[in-house]
Amino acid sequence: MDATSFIITTPDQLRALVLESVAVAFQYHRPAPVESVPSDELLTPEETAKLLKVSKVTVWDWEKRGILNARRIGNQVRYLRSEVLAAARPKKGGIQS
């Protein structure tokens, strides 16, 4: 049969024991660092136009011309912020037409 043992301790001693045990556990079992993955926000045509400081008609025109790449989700159109910003950067060799 197993014998039951009781340990008499004060709350402060118990707190210190728990903190020490947790510190030892973290020392040997450190969680892997969490890398922050930049989220790529989806923008509406209105938000895209506001970001680029152009009209919504210009956004539609740039989509037709292949300057912007639209994502269609059901009947909604969205643009990836990173792609919109990349399209807004000047290209080498002058203006793209």
Side-chain angles (χ1 to χ4, degrees), residues 47-59:
E47 292 169 332
T48 303
K50 187 175 180 180
L51 178 66
L52 296 174
K53 297 181 182 177
V54 297
S55 70
K56 203 164 93 169
V57 173
T58 302
V59 171

Side-chain angles (χ1 to χ4, degrees), residues 23-90:
V24 169
F26 271 114
Q27 183 179 6
Y28 292 106
H29 303 287
R30 292 179 191 233
V34 177
E35 293 182 23
S36 63
V37 178
S39 62
D40 208 357
E41 185 180 5
L42 289 170
L43 303 174
T44 64
E46 293 81 9
E47 292 169 332
T48 303
K50 187 175 180 180
L51 178 66
L52 296 174
K53 297 181 182 177
V54 297
S55 70
K56 203 164 93 169
V57 173
T58 302
V59 171
W60 292 116
D61 183 52
W62 287 352
E63 179 190 339
K64 287 180 187 175
R65 292 172 51 193
I67 297 170
L68 294 175
N69 184 20
R71 305 289 199 282
R72 290 188 168 34
I73 305 169
N75 62 349
Q76 299 178 357
V77 177
R78 298 290 184 263
Y79 301 91
L80 283 175
R81 178 183 287 274
S82 62
E83 291 179 359
V84 170
L85 295 175
R89 287 190 199 109

